[in-house]
Amino acid sequence: MSSFLHQRPIQNPFSNAYPISPRSSSTSQRPISIFSPTGLIILLSLMVILGVFVPWSGMPQSMFSNSKLPSSPVSKWRDYTLADAASFVAKNGTIIVCAVSHPYLPFLNNWLISITRQKHQEKVLVIAEDYATLDKVNEKWPGHAVLVPPALDSQTAHKFGSQGFFNFTARRPRHLLQILELGYNVMYNDVDMVWLGDPFPYFEGNHDVYFTDDMTAVKPLNHSHDLPPPGKKGRPYICSCMIFLRATDGAKLVMKKWIEELQAQPWSKAKKANDQPAFNWALLKTAGVVDFYLLPQAAFPTGGLYFKNKTWVQQTKGMHVIIHNNYILGFEKKIKRFRDYGLWLVDDHTLESPLGKL
């Protein structure tokens, strides 16, 4: 409740508050000079009263506000552009990007802990898909989240196979293309991943696009780094969840083709599409024009191999760099599997994340 509701009425300091007695009437009615001690005391009292009480008594705040003061944190971040954010986080011309809706914040924190251990967290940019995520991340870690309008419904964007999930993932190539056009190399990760090592030494050479195979069949350790041949559906099975792109015309071409393929294969109830088939068609249709590099399976295994082939895991022990918790659906199931393998880091190491405890 405002303080003015409890104030006593302010007496006029120039009025006489008490009845004039006959013996004092002759002196009290003399005019008081403003330069006299009494006048100066009265003037000072008036200034104090005006300075302390008037601003709380309902006077328009515009009389006291400074239009040059910064806006509130929320409005500040909602005006924060992708160009602003990319410039802030980029290190050596490179950005690590993820796209996150609010239900995925625990996975974001888990992923960030693993990246922090490899000392690459400062180049991370979180593309928030809803305002709750934008505000929460920037509250904890200012400048490391940006929202590219329009915001999505955070409660539907995480359900695999839903139209919300398609809308969420279909924005990915546009985000990546924008960053490439700003002149930055960009690494994209889904946040259901954990880094066990530093992936950047594996981005050797000057290829346009680096990616991982999503197939579970074991490859020889010295396997080819070319785009794998098409599978039964006429396209390869490359994962769209872990990509490294150089800021080249070739990488931009793949992102543009990916966008075109998504537009040609929209989501429907009959065909519950996601972004990965379109990415593979884009790769297939730009092969021979764009320089591709398939990352080593031992370092970047799909979840269907790492979590289900104990023999292979033992044979390749010490080679694993990024583990993807795919080939499984559902938050709780993913968390349980991470816990079973000692990869759910937020239980005991949450303070290692730039976000701290959420």
Side-chain angles (χ1 to χ4, degrees), residues 88-91 94-98 108-109 111-126 141-145 195 198 200 351-355:
F88 178 72
V89 305
K91 300 291 181 291
T94 299
I95 299 170
I96 302 169
V97 166
C98 64
L108 171 63
N109 225 15
W111 177 71
L112 282 173
I113 293 168
S114 70
I115 292 180
T116 301
R117 291 179 173 183
Q118 304 303 323
K119 305 186 186 307
H120 285 293
Q121 74 278 11
E122 288 305 319
K123 60 172 72 78
V124 169
L125 176 60
V126 178
W141 199 23
H144 282 269
W195 290 23
D198 185 349
F200 283 90
L351 296 182
E352 293 182 39
S353 168
L355 300 179

Side-chain angles (χ1 to χ4, degrees), residues 33 102 126 128 171 318 320:
S33 171
H102 197 260
V126 178
R171 289 156 58 96
H320 314 134

Side-chain angles (χ1 to χ4, degrees), residues 69-140:
L69 289 175
S71 57
S72 68
V74 170
S75 63
K76 174 183 176 181
W77 298 122
R78 294 189 184 194
D79 294 334
Y80 195 47
T81 67
L82 184 59
D84 294 333
S87 175
F88 178 72
V89 305
K91 300 291 181 291
N92 299 318
T94 299
I95 299 170
I96 302 169
V97 166
C98 64
V100 181
S101 60
H102 197 260
Y104 274 95
L105 283 178
F107 285 91
L108 171 63
N109 225 15
N110 198 66
W111 177 71
L112 282 173
I113 293 168
S114 70
I115 292 180
T116 301
R117 291 179 173 183
Q118 304 303 323
K119 305 186 186 307
H120 285 293
Q121 74 278 11
E122 288 305 319
K123 60 172 72 78
V124 169
L125 176 60
V126 178
I127 296 183
E129 296 293 3
D130 52 71
Y131 286 114
T133 302
L134 174 71
D135 295 341
K136 174 57 70 174
V137 174
N138 280 334
E139 173 195 338
K140 297 278 191 172

Side-chain angles (χ1 to χ4, degrees), residues 151-292:
L152 298 179
D153 178 0
S154 63
Q155 295 306 312
T156 61
H158 68 282
K159 297 176 182 177
F160 185 84
S162 68
Q163 186 171 5
F165 183 82
F166 176 80
N167 293 341
F168 171 70
T169 58
R171 289 156 58 96
R172 185 180 309 172
R174 294 185 183 277
H175 297 327
L176 297 177
L177 178 59
Q178 282 183 272
I179 294 170
L180 292 173
E181 290 180 336
L182 290 170
Y184 301 102
N185 303 324
V186 57
M187 180 184 187
Y188 176 82
N189 275 192
D190 273 2
V191 292
D192 60 344
M193 295 184 173
V194 168
W195 290 23
L196 301 181
D198 185 349
F200 283 90
Y202 292 84
F203 305 143
E204 59 187 31
N206 292 299
H207 308 285
D208 297 313
V209 183
Y210 300 71
F211 43 67
T212 64
D213 199 338
D214 210 18
M215 296 297 287
T216 61
V218 174
K219 299 177 184 292
L221 293 178
N222 61 345
H223 67 73
S224 169
H225 297 289
D226 295 335
L227 180 69
K232 294 180 180 179
K233 296 185 178 180
R235 53 173 170 75
Y237 291 90
I238 297 301
C239 185
S240 61
C241 307
M242 212 304 294
I243 312 168
F244 181 78
L245 306 165
R246 296 201 186 277
T248 62
D249 290 339
K252 294 174 190 175
L253 178 61
V254 173
M255 295 301 102
K256 291 173 183 176
K257 182 60 69 174
W258 189 0
I259 294 168
E260 290 176 8
E261 292 295 324
L262 283 166
Q263 292 171 340
Q265 303 174 43
W267 185 92
S268 66
K269 290 183 178 180
K271 187 178 180 181
K272 298 180 178 180
N274 60 71
D275 70 307
Q276 188 158 300
F279 178 57
N280 278 273
W281 285 117
L283 292 174
L284 190 61
K285 292 179 180 181
T286 55
V289 179
V290 180
D291 187 358
F292 297 143

Side-chain angles (χ1 to χ4, degrees), residues 13-14 32-51:
F14 292 102
I32 300 173
S33 171
I34 194 170
F35 298 107
S36 68
T38 303
L40 290 173
I41 291 172
I42 292 172
L43 183 60
L44 181 61
S45 300
L46 178 61
M47 292 173 66
V48 169
I49 291 169
L50 291 173

